[in-house]
Amino acid sequence: MKLLVTGGAGYIGGTVAGLLVDRGHQAVVFDNLSHGRQDLLPQGVEFILGELADRSHLERIFTEAKEQGSPFDGVLHFAALIEAGESMVKPEIYFRNNTASTLSLFEAMLSSGPRKLVFSSTAAVYGEPEVVPIPEDARLQPTNTYGESKLLVEHMLRWMNQIHGLRYASLRYFNVAGAPESADGGITRGEAHEPESHLIPLILDVALGRRQSIRIYGDDYPTPDGTCIRDYIHVSDLADAHLLALDALESSSRLIFNLGNGKGFSVKEVIESARRVTGHPIPAELHPRRPGDPAFLVAGSEKAIKELGWKPRYTQLDDILRTAWAWHQQRYNK
Ligand SMILES: NC(=O)c1ccc[n+]([C@@H]2O[C@H](COP(=O)([O-])OP(=O)(O)OC[C@H]3O[C@@H](n4cnc5c(N)ncnc54)[C@H](O)[C@@H]3O)[C@@H](O)[C@H]2O)c1
Ligand SMILES: O=c1ccn([C@@H]2O[C@H](COP(=O)(O)OP(=O)(O)O[C@H]3O[C@H](CO)[C@@H](O)[C@H](O)[C@H]3O)[C@@H](O)[C@H]2O)c(=O)[nH]1
């Protein structure tokens, strides 16, 4: 297959692009490098510098590929702004970049591209859950505008499917972590957000001496130790699910799956795990809650396991942290 990978210069899109190439597919990354890194692109991946909002550029890419006799078979759409906290300060850039610009991609696909898409959705579409682990048919009520910007795309997709026959899989990732290991155990890429806002790399910064301490955003949530609980899923397990979803779109036209481990860990438990893995004491400081954070997000992923045949391999938080730590040390040459 030949696939356009929007946002493929980023953490997850780059990992999936690498897996596509490993499995003999052709991956063309389309990214504006606002948060991505061209130097971290996996080998064998083609790169196009481009802006998602630029519909005519996307149309040209699709049309030229057809004219050259090698049309795209589908699109994997990762390009987005991803920080829930920032989205509560600057909602407009989230609706512009994640929602409005995605409509440009849909328009380009409808006019000259493939009609098959895998969309990076998020656990943030659920908001504060009523049922845990969260099933796919749970109430959708985001508590931050990042989640809302993605939910609006899911709504658009439902209509694009119904009216234009655009086939899609919406994959609702929970908290993605860790670094991909090659068959010989080597690690060549991982999380490199700039600026970094995610809990695990920030904790590892403390272990490397790049930060003094980790901030804990709130310990007065209704959870056993008062800190927020999240479901951490390894990026390679997540990548596998994308290939399975592409296969499943051969026989289904509309798919929605949660992708998580089904186990929740509090902020304090993640810090404990990092202390075990790194051997560093990792001092922590208590700070007020971060606006928009739900207390508890844990996935029910049985649907993906049953219907896609998905088998997550990294089920232990320490194993996920171990790969993240190996990458983090390598990234900063320690
Ligand atoms: N990291 C997580 O835990 C997580 C969880 C749930 C969902 N997601 C979703 O997964 C996707 C990938 O996340 P990530 O962690 O790899 O983030 P990332 O920031 O590493 O990658 C996103 C990429 O998209 C590019 N991009 C952003 N806006 C663009 C635009 N307008 N045009 C072209 N390129 C653009 C950036 O330059 C970057 O390379 C996102 O859609 C995110 O919402 C991530
Ligand atoms: O320095 C920090 C950073 C984070 N946290 C907390 O750690 C938890 C996890 O936060 P973070 O790593 O920023 O991830 P989330 O805000 O849960 O969001 C991630 O996971 C979501 C799915 O659950 C995705 O949609 C988002 O794109 C992705 O950024 C939250 O409770 C934060 O309040 C801290 O206490 N201190």
Side-chain angles (χ1 to χ4, degrees), residues 6-13 30-37 50-53 77-82 97 101 120-123 146 150 173-176 191 193 198:
T6 76
Y11 168 47
I12 304 172
F30 179 90
D31 198 299
N32 66 4
L33 297 182
S34 58
H35 289 80
R37 296 248 316 251
E51 162 55 50
L52 192 63
H77 178 35
F78 298 93
L81 297 175
I82 64 162
N97 196 69
S101 298
S120 301
S121 189
T122 164
Y146 161 71
K150 292 274 179 171
Y173 317 157
F174 282 62
N175 289 53
V176 188
E191 197 163 3
H193 296 120
H198 290 97

Side-chain angles (χ1 to χ4, degrees), residues 233-271:
I233 176 79
H234 192 275
V235 69
S236 295
D237 286 333
L238 193 79
D240 287 344
H242 288 71
L243 274 85
L244 294 167
L246 278 169
D247 285 347
L249 282 176
E250 294 300 312
S251 50
S252 309
S253 85
R254 180 174 174 261
L255 297 166
I256 297 178
F257 292 110
N258 284 342
L259 297 174
N261 251 322
K263 272 188 267 179
F265 293 93
S266 71
V267 172
K268 285 186 177 169
E269 286 171 329
V270 177
I271 297 170

Side-chain angles (χ1 to χ4, degrees), residues 4 6 55 58-59 62 66 72-77 102-118 157 160 164 166-168:
L4 188 74
T6 76
R55 173 183 165 177
L58 287 161
E59 281 174 349
F62 292 137
K66 272 190 202 158
F72 283 91
D73 298 295
V75 175
L76 295 162
H77 178 35
T102 294
L103 185 56
S104 305
L105 170 67
F106 293 167
E107 287 170 330
M109 288 175 72
L110 293 174
S111 82
S112 50
R115 296 210 173 177
K116 194 197 286 183
L117 178 107
V118 178
L157 277 169
M160 296 295 161
H164 293 300
L166 191 150
R167 306 167 85 82
Y168 76 94

Side-chain angles (χ1 to χ4, degrees), residues 82-85 121-124 146 173-176 197-200 202 214-218 221 228-230 232 267 290 293-294 297:
I82 64 162
E83 290 178 39
S121 189
T122 164
Y146 161 71
Y173 317 157
F174 282 62
N175 289 53
V176 188
S197 66
H198 290 97
L199 180 64
I200 290 177
L202 289 175
I214 183 72
R215 297 175 164 197
I216 296 178
Y217 292 136
Y221 285 95
C228 286
I229 290 180
R230 294 287 182 275
Y232 294 88
V267 172
R290 197 175 65 175
D293 274 344
L297 281 177

